[in-house]
Amino acid sequence: MADQYDLVIIGTGTAAMVAAMRVRAAGRSVAIIDYRPFGGTCALRGCDPKKMLVGGASALDHARRMRGNGVAGDVHIDWPELIAFKRTFTDPVPEKHEHRYDEKGIHTYHGHARFTGRNSLTVDGESLEARHVLIAAGAEPIRLGIPGEEYFATNEDFLAMERLPRRIVLVGGGYIASEFSHIAARAGVQVTILQRGERMLGHFDPDLVGWLMDKFREIGVDVRLRTTVSAIEKDHAGFVVRASSEGGDATFEADLVVHSAGRAPALDALDLGAGGVAAEKGRLKLNEYLQSVSNAAVYAAGDAAQEGPPLTPVSSHDAKVVAANLLEGNRHRPDYRGVPSVAFTIPPIAAVGLSEEQARQQGLKFQTKSQKASDWFTARQAAEKTYGFKVMVEDDTGRIVGAHLVGPHADEVINLFALAIRYDLTADNLKTTMFAYPTGASDIGYML
């Protein structure tokens, strides 16, 4: 006899938690499934543990920048201690999540979920029937189809390393490669990035990325652009990464090779066909309500839906939309206006709204103000030369079209621009706001 529920959720990350709690609070029966420890990517294998390591690397970097400016003595990263500190946050997560679900009467299942029908699933042989199913299974590294890719370490492997390797090669040039390279290099690792594209951090403004690349060079990260990895081989000393570029073929020796070339919705193991859930090119086909176009019982949220940017706040937002649609009928649509994005390099780079190219493509008329502001107080007081901005303001309305920041406090200040974009505040609204001084936010008036 199959267990029956109003909602079965696949995954236990941010989207799953939000949806489960909201639907259960409305009196509906809910079950949740994961084959991994409960908590999801952000809490266990992504944002939170990464930021713990960034915190240690940032403290070291700040101390080194302040040498000769009042700070003296040797400072270094004790990697095992830093990992132990990280684990004080991550280790309790699964038990806390399961306890919270149990308190709310949400049934938990451990194992691989697989569709067996439009409203039915199995979890390692146990049958479940569901009025609705929410796919919130997150994302996983894409397959590159190269010989030896089984030797790749993942973001999870990196964040769990008890000891640092001497040499790391990161394959790819996005968030993971940028953030991990800044952590590892400051911990004393020899770091090489092999990026197939024309530049690093393709989601961010190219001018600001260019300013940030000075920091990569300063900390000794070897970035190879327009370089395609063709194979990974294991030998007695570690790994050999074979690659090609305009300059010819090259090999790179490493003790660890990290996959940082992109992630895709984790759908392969779900047997979507058995559930009548349409997908195309590895993505679910959803309508404007985050509902499957082929099976009205199925919804998706977060990285599994891939409708909005692959960010934790988007997962939470999607889950609220799905929960409301389940409880009230399809009346709610996701709204991704003003979602900020940050790469936690040291210093961070951030963006919200449109790029200059996107704004032009949309036919907008706008003014751009941009400056590398190494001589501003915010940069000088932190002894940080990498500081700058690019802000676009629409001509007729004065509203903020896009904001792009790099440098100290960029990860926090970008949220004020996000607020302005989401709620149609104008440049004058921000200029006339009295921010605390001296803070990162007090620079906003000079950026407009």
Side-chain angles (χ1 to χ4, degrees):
M1 189 74 172
D3 295 332
Q4 297 185 348
Y5 299 95
D6 291 312
L7 175 64
V8 170
I9 302 174
I10 303 171
T12 57
T14 302
M17 173 66 82
V18 171
M21 293 299 169
R22 291 192 170 217
V23 173
R24 181 59 186 148
R28 308 286 178 86
S29 57
V30 179
I32 194 160
I33 307 165
D34 208 330
Y35 71 96
R36 309 190 72 177
F38 280 29
T41 297
C42 185
L44 296 175
R45 305 179 289 276
C47 323
D48 291 354
K50 170 197 70 184
K51 194 69 182 290
M52 301 299 299
L53 303 188
V54 167
S58 295
L60 171 70
D61 191 64
H62 195 183
R64 287 177 174 174
R65 293 197 312 270
M66 292 299 293
R67 281 180 182 164
N69 296 306
V71 175
D74 176 56
V75 180
H76 68 280
I77 288 178
D78 185 314
W79 187 263
E81 283 191 2
L82 185 58
I83 290 295
F85 180 51
K86 179 217 73 170
R87 291 184 63 181
T88 65
F89 285 78
T90 56
D91 283 4
V93 167
E95 184 177 348
K96 285 182 178 179
H97 277 230
E98 294 210 47
H99 179 67
R100 189 173 177 191
Y101 289 131
D102 184 59
E103 278 189 326
K104 299 297 182 182
I106 296 169
H107 292 188
T108 57
Y109 292 83
H110 292 268
H112 289 272
R114 183 173 60 84
F115 281 96
T116 55
R118 297 178 68 85
N119 294 82
S120 60
L121 306 99
T122 62
V123 184
D124 289 355
E126 195 166 358
S127 297
L128 284 71
E129 295 283 342
R131 183 180 173 192
H132 290 105
V133 176
L134 171 60
I135 300 175
E140 59 191 2
I142 61 173
R143 291 194 60 81
L144 301 184
I146 60 174
E149 69 177 313
E150 67 270 18
Y151 298 126
F152 270 129
T154 65
N155 57 298
E156 181 178 4
D157 297 324
F158 180 94
L159 293 169
M161 291 188 302
E162 296 290 346
R163 300 287 174 184
L164 273 178
R166 185 170 61 88
R167 305 160 301 173
I168 293 178
V169 169
L170 295 131
V171 178
Y175 292 84
I176 293 174
S178 299
E179 294 168 342
F180 285 6
S181 67
H182 275 236
I183 296 167
R186 287 177 173 85
V189 177
Q190 177 187 318
V191 181
T192 302
I193 296 175
L194 305 180
Q195 159 66 332
R196 186 175 61 178
E198 295 287 325
R199 64 182 181 90
M200 295 283 291
L201 291 166
H203 293 293
F204 293 88
D205 181 85
D207 293 331
L208 274 65
V209 172
W211 300 338
L212 182 61
M213 293 312 296
D214 291 339
K215 202 70 178 182
F216 282 79
R217 288 184 282 272
E218 180 185 315
I219 63 176
V221 176
D222 182 9
V223 179
R224 304 292 183 97
L225 302 176
R226 297 176 291 279
T227 300
T228 301
V229 173
S230 56
I232 304 169
E233 300 170 359
K234 186 172 177 57
D235 65 13
H236 66 282
F239 302 97
V240 175
V241 182
R242 300 195 180 278
S244 60
S245 66
E246 295 171 352
D249 296 338
T251 59
F252 302 87
E253 296 181 349
D255 303 300
L256 186 74
V257 184
V258 180
H259 187 303
S260 52
R263 294 165 64 81
L267 306 174
D268 289 348
L270 300 182
D271 199 357
L272 297 175
V277 182
E280 185 175 12
K281 296 180 179 178
R283 293 184 58 175
L284 295 169
K285 298 179 72 173
L286 305 174
N287 63 21
E288 59 191 321
Y289 305 107
L290 299 178
Q291 181 185 42
S292 168
V293 298
S294 59
N295 182 348
V298 176
Y299 289 77
D303 288 355
Q306 212 174 63
E307 290 293 302
L311 304 169
T312 298
V314 169
S315 296
S316 177
H317 175 73
D318 283 357
K320 293 172 185 176
V321 169
V322 170
N325 286 334
L326 290 174
L327 298 173
E328 303 167 14
N330 282 352
R331 295 164 39 194
H332 302 272
R333 302 171 180 85
D335 177 3
Y336 302 123
R337 289 177 303 150
V339 179
S341 180
V342 178
F344 288 97
T345 48
I346 306 168
I349 186 168
V352 67
L354 302 179
S355 67
E356 282 188 294
E357 182 180 357
Q358 289 169 333
R360 291 191 189 100
Q361 288 173 350
Q362 292 186 19
L364 300 180
K365 296 187 181 301
F366 60 94
Q367 299 296 317
T368 298
K369 187 171 182 179
S370 181
Q371 182 179 342
K372 187 175 184 184
S374 303
D375 59 341
W376 287 17
F377 179 78
T378 296
R380 292 182 61 194
Q381 66 87 27
E384 176 57 79
K385 295 178 181 178
T386 302
Y387 185 51
F389 64 90
K390 180 179 288 186
V391 179
M392 295 102 71
V393 177
E394 190 172 33
D395 289 347
D396 294 337
T397 65
R399 68 185 181 93
I400 310 297
V401 174
H404 308 269
L405 313 174
V406 65
H409 314 301
D411 53 333
E412 297 292 349
V413 175
I414 200 66
N415 291 312
L416 295 170
F417 284 106
L419 184 71
I421 289 174
R422 191 165 183 88
Y423 294 103
D424 291 324
L425 302 181
T426 66
D428 284 343
N429 292 146
L430 291 184
K431 282 181 179 179
T432 55
T433 298
M434 289 181 282
F435 296 109
Y437 179 87
T439 63
S442 60
D443 285 348
I444 287 176
Y446 301 102
M447 296 178 179
L448 295 163

